[in-house]
């Protein structure tokens, strides 16, 4: 059974930084795509970034490009999301997710962690 557990959320002022982590367990994640999503209050969930487990290829939503950075630690089975220059509109519940195969949707989800950016 795959488990994804996020940590690192909290309250930060606009312009500040936070680093989210996602601990993955339950199987070998070779060939997986690992993603971060967020759901702002009252809105639909949206894609933030993803990284391929094998070669570390990354992709970002336009709204976070240049401010957020996704990475993975294959030895520790964790993915991280470094968030810099945070804006109030980045306020959301952030969740990590794992896709067995790229392009076919995400199969496993974490419970989410709250990020609140004050103005």
């Amino acid at each position: 059974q795959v488990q994804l557990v996020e940590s690192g959320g909290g309250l930060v002022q606009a312009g500040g930084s936070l680093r989210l982590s996602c601990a993955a367990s339950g199987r070998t994640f070779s060939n997986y795509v690992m993603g971060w999503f967020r759901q702002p209050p009252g809105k639909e969930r949206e894609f933030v970034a993803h990284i391929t487990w094998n070669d570390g290829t990354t992709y970002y939503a336009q709204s976070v490009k240049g401010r957020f950075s996704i990475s993975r630690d294959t030895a520790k089975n964790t993915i991280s999301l470094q968030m810099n220059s945070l804006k109030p509109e980045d306020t959301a519940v952030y969740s990590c997710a794992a896709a067995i195969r790229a392009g076919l949707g995400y199969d496993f989800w974490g419970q989410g962690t709250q990020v609140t950016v004050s103005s």
Side-chain angles (χ1 to χ4, degrees), residues 15-88:
S17 299
L18 277 176
R19 186 176 182 85
L20 305 182
S21 294
C22 175
S25 62
R27 63 178 60 181
T28 301
F29 291 94
S30 299
N31 301 317
Y32 275 53
V33 176
M34 308 296 290
W36 283 100
F37 290 76
R38 67 186 183 185
Q39 186 165 18
K43 296 184 179 180
E44 296 292 316
R45 183 170 61 197
E46 61 187 31
F47 168 80
V48 175
H50 76 217
I51 186 166
T52 56
W53 194 265
N54 280 352
D55 64 8
T57 301
T58 59
Y59 183 79
Y60 297 91
Q62 192 62 38
S63 59
V64 306
K65 194 175 294 185
R67 300 188 298 123
F68 290 13
S69 178
I70 188 171
S71 60
R72 89 258 193 255
D73 185 330
T74 56
K76 297 181 178 179
N77 264 17
T78 60
I79 62 168
S80 297
L81 186 69
Q82 178 65 43
M83 305 185 294
N84 298 326
S85 302
L86 283 161
K87 305 174 182 180

Side-chain angles (χ1 to χ4, degrees), residues 2 27 29-33 98-108:
V2 172
R27 63 178 60 181
F29 291 94
S30 299
N31 301 317
Y32 275 53
V33 176
I100 297 173
R101 285 188 173 81
L104 297 180
Y106 285 80
D107 304 282
F108 307 101

Side-chain angles (χ1 to χ4, degrees), residues 11-17 85-88 116-119:
L11 173 64
V12 64
Q13 287 190 332
S17 299
S85 302
L86 283 161
K87 305 174 182 180
T116 303
V117 184
S118 62
S119 56

